[in-house]
Amino acid sequence: MKYSALKGVQDILPPDIYIWQKIEKVARDIFHFYGFQEIRLPIIESTDVFIRSIGETTDIVEKEMYTFFDKAGRSITMRPEGTAPAVRCYVEHHLYNLPSPQKFYYFGPMFRYERPQRGRFRQFYQIGVEAFGVSQTLLDVEIILMLRNLLEGVGLKEVNFELNSIGCQKCRPVYKNSLLKFFENKISDFCPDCQRRYNTNPLRILDCKVERCVEARQGSPVVIDYLCEECKTHFDELIFRLNALKVTYKLNPSLVRGLDYYTRTTFEVTSEHLGAQKAVAAGGRYDNLVEEFGGPKTPAIGFAIGMERVTALLKEIWADKYPLPRVFIATLGKEAEIEGLQIAESIREAGFWVEPNYNGEASLKSQLRKADRMGAEIVFIIGENELMSGRVQWKNLMNGEHGEVDKKDILRFLGYK
Ligand code: HAM
């Protein structure tokens, strides 16, 4: 019997895992400075958590959710994203009673039954943030700055920051009507999905990737022209503030996002180096969602970064930065093995990665070859003579130098003070 991972899911192994850890570390540090605290949310939720919030007529809810019935017959869904669960949690624990804003972050896997392709998985990981309780654009600016700092902090360059506003419940229906009017005579040009969307959710036509739909929607009305006074003031102020801080962005009037809960500010970070799945991170405001979950009216904003896509972009930059063992201990004979283990322990205590030889019967040559393949920098060699003399031989695998050092001087030799 041969097993392999399911289609669209993958194992994350060394050395790639070091990129993941690096991103997580940079993210944690940056979030801390901006006052975001970690929350750990369940991977499974009641299906209702997602249906209305993400939108009944979105691709995610219509086609992509991993939904099953548990043994008690409840409908359960493996989270396709983190915002709806975060809002569920915020309302369930009455976190709106705490001082505003409440700012959270989470790491973890999300599940969407999409067609797997480069950069698109069925289990993928996000780093997400959600901030509750502030409607002013200063929070939008801060969130955008934080995302920019994070991506720069991990070494990501050449990304585009795309920005839009998609209005609110007041102005969106007006925009929707103008879209319906514009598409009225083009319905037959659209793919079957978009023909359906025309009646269920015309905004979704704007992010359909099918070629004929992209063509048919050329010249369609843009949402910014339909913003109500309040949404327009909000967007103008956001742009003014981003400009004042010299943040680079590009206005993208067709950026409507694939989830229905957004209001006003929406943004997406894209890279040209990723192929068809360009979005590295995306987010926006969702000022009505807390209320829809039964909480008090609470504005909110957040974003999520796609880990697989960021790591794909960082792979080249990181190629020579993976941690390697500093020291390999080669031992010859049973007694030397114990001595080697003791030396290894003292070096580890000083904070170095040490790999011992696990087979004292292996030849010195094969042990040195193994140390070299592992990428170790220094090998200490312990044989019978060394046991007697209290000195050990060393070899620097980087430059070929070698010599002898007193056992008690090993840490000093390694540069440990
Ligand atoms: P999203 O745009 O659906 O937004 O996903 C955010 C990011 O997750 C995408 O930009 C992409 O990098 C990554 N991603 C999405 N689907 C996949 C996939 N199938 N395979 C690999 N990566 C993927 C959200 O999920 C919102 N909850 C973001 C948010 C938080 N908005 C407000 N707060």
Side-chain angles (χ1 to χ4, degrees), residues 24 43 79 106-111 124-128 307:
E24 286 166 4
I43 282 170
R79 60 182 186 194
Y106 49 85
F107 295 167
M110 308 291 159
F111 304 84
F124 59 97
Y125 286 75
Q126 285 186 346
I127 294 183
M307 284 293 280

Side-chain angles (χ1 to χ4, degrees), residues 140 144 161-167 172 175 203 206 221-227 231 234-236 238-239 242 249-257 262-269 283-285 301:
D140 306 45
I144 290 169
F161 208 101
E162 298 180 15
L163 185 66
N164 196 19
S165 172
I166 59 162
R172 191 107 38 89
Y175 175 59
L203 240 77
L206 297 176
V222 292
V223 61
I224 296 192
D225 295 338
Y226 292 81
L227 296 182
C231 288
H234 192 271
F235 196 46
D236 287 346
L238 171 62
I239 286 179
L242 288 175
Y249 61 86
K250 211 176 97 197
L251 293 180
N252 177 357
S254 55
L255 177 66
V256 290
R257 309 279 296 114
Y262 288 109
T263 52
R264 295 190 170 170
T265 313
T266 52
F267 52 88
E268 213 161 81
V269 180
R285 278 201 165 270
I301 181 169

Side-chain angles (χ1 to χ4, degrees), residues 47 50-51 53-67 77-82 84 110-114 124 126 197 201 204 207 257-262:
T47 302
F50 302 109
I51 292 184
S53 54
I54 294 175
E56 274 173 87
T57 50
T58 56
D59 279 358
I60 296 181
V61 171
E62 275 186 343
K63 312 183 207 164
E64 297 169 1
M65 295 211 299
Y66 278 90
T67 298
T77 292
M78 294 171 73
R79 60 182 186 194
E81 59 103 48
M110 308 291 159
F111 304 84
R112 296 184 194 173
Y113 194 81
E114 294 193 78
F124 59 97
Q126 285 186 346
R197 285 173 186 140
N201 196 344
R204 296 275 72 85
D207 51 29
R257 309 279 296 114
L259 306 110
D260 280 353
Y261 50 62
Y262 288 109

Side-chain angles (χ1 to χ4, degrees), residues 123-146:
Q123 175 175 334
F124 59 97
Y125 286 75
Q126 285 186 346
I127 294 183
V129 307
E130 315 292 350
F132 297 92
V134 172
S135 61
Q136 284 85 350
T137 55
L138 216 52
L139 181 61
D140 306 45
V141 173
E142 212 175 53
I143 288 267
I144 290 169
L145 284 175
M146 183 168 81

Side-chain angles (χ1 to χ4, degrees), residues 7 16 117 131 184 214 229 241-242 244 251 391 408:
K7 198 171 164 200
D16 286 2
Q117 64 178 85
E184 209 168 19
V214 175
E229 210 45 46
R241 292 183 154 171
L242 288 175
L251 293 180
R391 292 174 71 76
K408 61 177 178 2

